[in-house]
Amino acid sequence: MLIKVAEKKDIAPGGMLGVKVNGLNIVICDYGGNFYAVERKCGHAAAYLERGALNGYILTCPLHCARFDITTGEALGGPVPEAPDSKYADPLAPDLETRSLKTYPVIVEGELIKVEVS
Ligand code: FES
């Protein structure tokens, strides 16, 4: 099923937009004028990824800096261990592993960005 998730003007060049459609949380990413869609919650501890940073095709999680390729969803590295004495240490997220992200096909029709969801 093809669903409208945004308009082009909603996403700055090189930017991201988090959306919830049909019960799915998805991040739409602009990379070089092309749009990619990945699941919104980080594979490590479910941080909303649009709150992180997008540098080219690499999305970095805001919480523990896991990195993902938005074109494939592949986990590239991280999360980064926290210093044991850090006041930001999160005892609920001790596993230093993440998983790759689910991706969704994106179709642009005029100004509309649509995502194929099943
Ligand atoms: S929640 Fe994303 S790296 Fe921990």
Side-chain angles (χ1 to χ4, degrees), residues 41-49 60-68 77-80 93 95 97-98:
K41 293 182 180 179
C42 179
H44 175 230
Y48 280 137
L49 290 169
T60 302
C61 177
L63 206 49
H64 311 102
C65 303
R67 293 175 297 114
F68 304 92
V80 175
D95 295 336
E97 294 181 11
T98 189

Side-chain angles (χ1 to χ4, degrees), residues 16 39-42 47-52 59 61 68 101:
M16 299 183 277
E39 65 179 290
R40 190 176 185 185
K41 293 182 180 179
C42 179
Y48 280 137
L49 290 169
E50 77 275 14
R51 297 177 183 168
L59 197 173
C61 177
F68 304 92
L101 302 173

Side-chain angles (χ1 to χ4, degrees), residues 1-19:
M1 177 178 12
L2 198 57
I3 298 176
K4 176 200 166 198
V5 292
E7 296 183 20
K8 285 182 178 178
K9 66 176 176 54
D10 298 331
I11 304 174
M16 299 183 277
L17 177 69
V19 297

